[in-house]
Amino acid sequence: MLKFATRFLVAMGTAATLAATAQAQDSIKVGFVGPYTGPFAVAGQSFRHGVEAYQALHGNEAGGRKVEVIYRDSAGADPTLAKRLAEELVVKDKVSMLGGFYLSPEVAATAPVVNAAKVPLFIVNAATPALMKMSPYFVRMGQPINLPAELAAMHARQSGKSRGYVAVGDYGPGHIVEQSFMTKFTAEGGQMVGNVRIPLNTADFAPFAERIANANPDVLQVFIPPGAASVAFSKALAARGLTQKVLIIGQGEAEDSDLPLFDDSIVGFKSIIYIDANARNAENLAFSDWLKKNAGPTVRPNSFSIGAFDAMHLAYKMLNDQAGKPFNGEAAMKTMLGYTWKSPRGPITIDPVTREPIQNFYLREVVKSADGVKSNRVIKTWEQVKAAPLN
């Protein structure tokens, strides 16, 4: 009788354990770290837009499990805080995947966390190329920041421009853009006539515009944080007459959702980036429609929201691939390599070697319609650009 009771209790304990495990797998958590308050809150809000849009359009289940997203506020650019938030999400909240992260130092600080826990991390915005060497669990949803600068240099030379100048924000990504453009432009036979690093707290851009004008370039590569700084810099360039006589190429300084901040001097500004907010593919039309109805009539897709949208697509793919099984981050990363899908940005493939996106890049020009609405119009496409592996 005692043996029977013992076997019964053991069986009940085993059943309870299995039931608890099954219950835990009925839902799965994704942690999204971003600047939801503070100076970069616009980017964090766009992260949320992308996540919420994806779940609204595709449901909140994948692989037979409910997908729960937990947001944590990094409130700016504090690597120590970003690492602590990642640790809390992994240890306390038991997330199976991480996403978001605005700046490169935040991602770098989080590498030891994801490496120890074997948790996939979708880098929505941080663009430093060297990040991908820090963890086999990193997958980029944006771009390595050197690529558009190199494309800009090639386009300038192909357009007959020979005198180059670079003006960038004085921080890590700006330095990479500066070096990438200068190296490629001179390799293509161009001459650099100057470069300047502009402090991030700059309010008066007139002296920098004067310095650029005195160098007499015929192409200007810019990389300035979006928002007030980009608006002020654009006005300073226009006041010095540079917008009319110099080919100016940026990246994300004048996204469609930001264009109402600019006056008409921004018309003609060119930029190279991997998204087209006005793309007519089915995925972007559905995304744009959701944003207009739920985020506001003037909200347009941007790199932050599309990056988060695609991060959720990869998360759902990983879960569908492991339907009926406990989630395994190491196995999930293997199934993602070489994967291709249709994104609002266009076709995208995760490079099986670099874990960088293979995607289209678009040369865009700001135009103004007859009714006075400014928008970016694509004038050239580089199809399926692939990042070179890091040494």
Side-chain angles (χ1 to χ4, degrees), residues 5-247:
T6 301
R7 287 198 300 269
F8 177 78
L9 290 174
V10 171
M12 288 298 291
T14 302
T17 301
L18 291 174
T21 301
Q23 185 176 9
Q25 289 297 316
D26 284 343
S27 65
I28 200 156
K29 298 176 182 178
V30 180
F32 246 79
V33 177
Y36 304 112
T37 61
F40 307 118
V42 171
Q45 187 60 48
S46 293
F47 287 0
R48 293 188 72 120
H49 289 161
V51 171
E52 292 170 3
Y54 190 86
Q55 292 200 297
L57 295 172
H58 298 277
N60 64 354
E61 292 186 3
R65 287 167 279 197
K66 182 178 179 180
V67 181
E68 177 185 353
V69 179
I70 301 175
Y71 297 97
R72 290 290 181 267
D73 186 10
S74 60
D78 183 347
T80 302
L81 175 59
K83 181 181 180 181
R84 179 170 63 79
L85 294 173
E87 288 174 338
E88 291 176 356
L89 284 164
V90 170
V91 176
K92 294 182 180 180
D93 296 296
K94 308 298 183 184
V95 301
S96 297
M97 290 170 269
L98 289 167
F101 298 91
Y102 183 62
L103 297 179
S104 293
E106 297 175 304
V107 178
T110 307
V113 178
V114 301
N115 290 343
K118 298 182 179 180
V119 172
L121 187 151
F122 309 112
I123 305 172
V124 169
N125 179 69
T128 300
L131 286 175
M132 303 309 289
K133 296 177 67 174
M134 297 181 182
S135 174
Y137 295 93
F138 287 171
V139 54
R140 181 117 53 198
M141 295 286 93
Q143 65 177 4
I145 206 163
N146 58 298
L147 280 185
E150 293 168 2
L151 293 173
M154 290 191 296
H155 174 73
R157 290 295 296 136
Q158 291 165 1
S159 301
K161 307 303 180 182
S162 59
R163 295 173 57 82
Y165 200 104
V166 183
V168 300
D170 190 8
Y171 68 127
H175 303 166
I176 295 173
V177 169
E178 176 188 73
Q179 187 59 49
S180 298
F181 182 88
M182 293 172 65
T183 299
K184 192 66 174 178
F185 191 72
T186 54
E188 296 291 322
Q191 175 191 1
M192 294 302 304
V193 296
N195 61 290
V196 62
R197 296 178 177 180
I198 302 174
L200 294 181
N201 61 353
T202 297
D204 180 10
F205 289 88
F208 298 100
E210 182 70 19
R211 188 183 308 180
I212 295 167
N214 290 338
N216 192 32
D218 54 17
V219 58
L220 171 63
Q221 166 77 68
V222 303
F223 184 80
I224 303 294
S230 290
V231 173
F233 188 42
S234 173
K235 289 181 178 180
L237 294 175
R240 196 59 182 77
L242 292 167
T243 56
Q244 300 300 314
K245 66 177 185 178
V246 177
L247 171 63

